[in-house]
Amino acid sequence: MSDSFKTGRSRAAYAARMTPRFDAIGLAVADMAASLAFYRMLGLDIPAEADTQPHAEATLPGGLRLMWDRAETPPPSGPGRMELAFLCDSPAEVDAAYAKLTDGGVRGSKAPWDAFWGQRYAVLLDPDGNNVALFAPLPG
């Protein structure tokens, strides 16, 4: 049970302590077109041209994003097939959050870097080995 639940603290109190916000779920896929066709059958609105791209995403009701990334050799089922992504307010916050978490014993997978797609990005591992990303748009 979380401390906020036990003490009756509001969700706002949590948000004031930790700025990264859950923003997206990412899936590693071997066949982008087949994966997107499946999710279209479930009612997601994904443009047809996404079938040939290395990355696709759809915004779900409520604003959460579901993302797909083509992987030449996706990991077997289990840890590593999906990634939770947390949006930070700034590139500096990505660095600070990554440092705080790894200093606290969380396993880092990829230290913060400026990704070619225009984000400051870092990857941590949850206790089961799943990827948890921290990201923020780069300026300009």
Side-chain angles (χ1 to χ4, degrees):
M1 232 183 269
S2 74
D3 288 336
S4 61
F5 179 80
K6 289 188 264 183
T7 62
R9 287 187 212 151
S10 71
R11 186 176 177 153
Y14 171 79
R17 289 192 318 268
M18 181 138 176
T19 307
R21 295 166 308 283
F22 184 49
D23 185 71
I25 299 170
L27 303 172
V29 300
D31 184 333
M32 183 68 81
S35 185
L36 296 182
F38 171 80
Y39 286 97
R40 284 185 190 105
M41 288 189 289
L42 290 171
L44 296 183
D45 184 21
I46 307 163
E49 60 270 14
D51 289 359
T52 59
Q53 300 300 312
H55 173 84
E57 58 184 71
T59 301
L60 307 175
L64 184 65
R65 294 178 301 137
L66 183 55
M67 304 182 303
W68 299 265
D69 287 290
R70 186 174 53 230
E72 295 302 319
T73 54
S77 60
R81 292 284 304 208
M82 67 94 189
E83 178 174 279
L84 303 178
F86 286 77
L87 173 64
C88 296
D89 287 332
S90 68
E93 186 178 1
V94 171
D95 295 355
Y98 183 88
K100 179 180 179 181
L101 290 162
T102 55
D103 289 350
V106 173
R107 291 180 295 160
S109 174
K110 178 102 170 121
W113 84 99
D114 291 343
F116 68 89
W117 57 84
Q119 294 175 335
R120 184 75 172 161
Y121 212 85
V123 182
L124 303 155
L125 298 175
D126 77 4
D128 294 305
N130 294 303
N131 291 333
V132 177
L134 302 171
F135 72 98
L138 290 169

